[in-house]
Amino acid sequence: MSDTTAAPARAGSRQWIGLGVLALPTLLASIDISVLNLAAPHISSDLDASGNELLWIIDIYAFMIAGFLVTMGTLGDRIGRRRLLLIGSALFGIASVLAALATSPEALIAARAFLGLAGATLMPSTLALISGMFEDPRERGVAIAVWATVFSVGIALGPIVGGALLQSFGWASVFLMAVPVMLVLLVLAPFLLPEFKDPGAGRLDLFSVVLSLGTLLPIVYGLKELARGGASSGALAALVAGLIVGVAFVLRQRVLDDPLLDLGLFRNRSFSVLLVAMLMTMVVAGGTYLFVTQYLQLVTGQTPLAAGLWLLPGALLLIVTSMSAPGLAASVRPAYVVAGGLVLSAVGHALLAFVDGSTSVTLTVVAFTLILGGGGPLIALGTDLILASAPAERAGSASALSETSTELGTALGVAVLGSLGAFVYRNSVAVPEGLDASATAATEDSLAAASVAAEQLPESGAAAAMEAAQAAFTSAVTVVGGLNAALSVVLALLIVAFLRHLAPMGDDQGAGEEPAPAPESVPSHTSPPGTE
């Protein structure tokens, strides 16, 4: 029997430089999440895309990522995570060029779908490689904190980078920026990143892959449609279909000797609770980001670029909280560190409940900064604890589940909180008299629709319509802020209740006291060229 008390190997310079390489696709994938919304008007104009085509251009990327994350995470365990990362990076670069060269909405939709498929290989591969490269719990915590910070900063930088590129170049530049990044990764990764895989893994069950897609794609689609148009029959049918196929997927995994998704991971209470916590946190974050970005632009009058700049303080605080969380969790139980961050987020959400619709951005920026910063400990420690609670050869599957919870949480947040906000808006908007039928309908629908309709109205009518719409949207922001504050407090209490048994991460147990069920095979670890 191996000596389980032996100290884990410390990371060297190659591992830390390799972490920098892994940060490249992480940053790129996160920037892509937010940058396309800024380029949407330019794409619509140049390609003559209809409203429905533009929605598909934006949404298909997230659909494909959510649908293929579990498959790609498991595939990485089988063929090697570095190999999957290299394949995905090459495909991402090719898809980016195809997107930039698209001359029709249909071509761009296809290229974006290709981008989503390639992007689904990047996130689970990077996380799984980090888990294998950093054996020491404290170093792994710092490395994952760096990864989480880079990912979140990329989302915040998306509007800024996109605004600068669109101002100097065309919309194609937001896709072409991926090409040099992928080239650097393809050159450096074989020399800096080790290979990890499960040598005992069997063949990939293709029917499980189909069931996985049949579960996740309809659910994500249904959630987005709920956010966009309310409880339509199509959205509800997609959700029901996804859930039914999901039951079939689970039943098949229970009988397979080598399942696509190891359901045994969920027997670890820490793993399950952390996945739920990550999902619920992203529900709150997804809805908040939706409202704050619109509030800054359509109520306080900020340009997209200025709004992105106002979000930077939150990104800076996120860096501080994400990077400091592992060190703090070395001496304090991680449940208390995460709960403290969620309480900080709750304060930020509570502040949003007091916005008044004025042109001042101070309260909104302070609130969003606290919200984003408070999520840092959960993103950093939660991801680390999820990976640490899974067997090493299942790191790809565990990281894919972590990313899937993030994607579903964001979609659910936009759907549920977006629908709640729309309900509050429509029940509180006081449409001024004297507007024509189309302007009245637009003002009753949403703030965005009202702002478009106001451009066609006389100055006095436009001002009255926008004032009514902005007041109603502000009411929606305050309601969502109050609700999210309460949800954040409840989530903090649940984290303490279910995870306070986890030891400080500086202890020998590292990530806690619950052993995860592990198969008897050991992971394959092949050193990169020139390191032997």
Side-chain angles (χ1 to χ4, degrees), residues 109-207:
I109 291 171
R112 287 279 292 170
F114 191 9
L115 269 172
L117 175 62
T121 70
L122 301 181
M123 303 312 294
S125 296
T126 54
L127 265 179
L129 283 167
I130 289 172
S131 176
M133 289 162 59
F134 296 91
E135 299 179 14
D136 181 84
R138 294 189 186 186
E139 292 183 335
R140 186 178 62 242
V142 171
I144 290 178
V146 171
W147 175 90
T149 300
V150 168
F151 182 78
S152 298
V153 168
I155 293 177
L157 288 177
I160 300 171
V161 173
L165 289 174
L166 289 168
Q167 187 170 327
S168 302
F169 308 100
W171 59 264
S173 61
V174 303
F175 296 111
L176 291 177
M177 67 178 178
V179 177
V181 174
M182 293 296 107
L183 288 175
V184 170
L185 189 148
L186 289 169
V187 171
L188 296 180
F191 299 97
L192 293 172
L193 303 179
E195 181 65 284
F196 294 91
K197 63 180 178 179
D198 179 7
R203 296 180 59 184
L204 190 68
D205 182 51
L206 296 180
F207 187 51

Side-chain angles (χ1 to χ4, degrees), residues 35-45 49 54 58 166 171:
V35 73
L36 196 69
N37 289 293
L38 198 61
H42 303 268
I43 293 173
S44 179
S45 175
L54 189 61
I58 295 172
L166 289 168
W171 59 264

Side-chain angles (χ1 to χ4, degrees), residues 249-472:
F249 174 79
V250 170
L251 293 175
R252 182 164 180 83
Q253 303 316 294
R254 293 170 66 95
V255 300
L256 290 176
D257 293 331
D258 195 53
L260 179 69
L261 177 62
D262 185 3
L263 299 180
L265 292 171
F266 293 95
R267 290 198 293 268
N268 185 315
R269 187 178 69 176
S270 298
F271 183 90
S272 300
V273 171
L274 285 164
L275 275 183
V276 173
M278 293 280 281
L279 183 141
M280 292 305 301
T281 299
M282 294 310 299
V283 166
V284 172
T288 300
Y289 190 85
L290 171 71
F291 283 98
V292 168
T293 52
Q294 290 189 72
Y295 185 85
L296 286 174
Q297 295 180 66
L298 299 178
V299 176
T300 69
Q302 304 297 309
T303 65
L305 181 59
L309 289 171
W310 280 119
L311 299 182
L312 277 182
L316 294 176
L317 184 59
L318 177 66
I319 292 174
V320 174
T321 56
S322 297
M323 296 299 294
S324 61
L328 187 59
S331 55
V332 179
R333 290 182 180 269
Y336 298 127
V337 178
V338 171
L342 291 172
V343 170
L344 182 64
S345 288
V347 173
H349 288 298
L351 289 177
L352 271 186
F354 291 96
V355 297
D356 59 4
S358 68
T359 56
S360 173
V361 300
T362 303
L363 183 60
T364 307
V365 171
V366 170
F368 186 76
T369 299
L370 295 178
I371 291 168
L372 203 60
L378 178 59
I379 294 173
L381 298 180
T383 304
D384 185 14
L385 291 167
I386 286 173
L387 292 178
S389 64
E393 62 273 15
R394 291 290 185 263
S397 299
S399 61
L401 285 172
S402 175
E403 287 301 308
T404 301
S405 70
T406 299
E407 289 289 333
L408 289 178
T410 302
L412 189 61
V414 171
V416 174
L417 296 180
S419 297
L420 173 63
F423 176 81
V424 173
Y425 176 92
R426 290 164 185 163
N427 283 274
S428 59
V429 64
V431 180
E433 297 180 359
L435 299 181
D436 59 38
S438 61
T440 298
T443 305
E444 290 176 342
D445 182 64
S446 68
L447 175 57
S451 66
V452 173
E455 296 176 358
Q456 311 300 323
L457 296 175
E459 184 175 347
S460 59
M466 285 302 296
E467 183 178 354
Q470 289 170 342

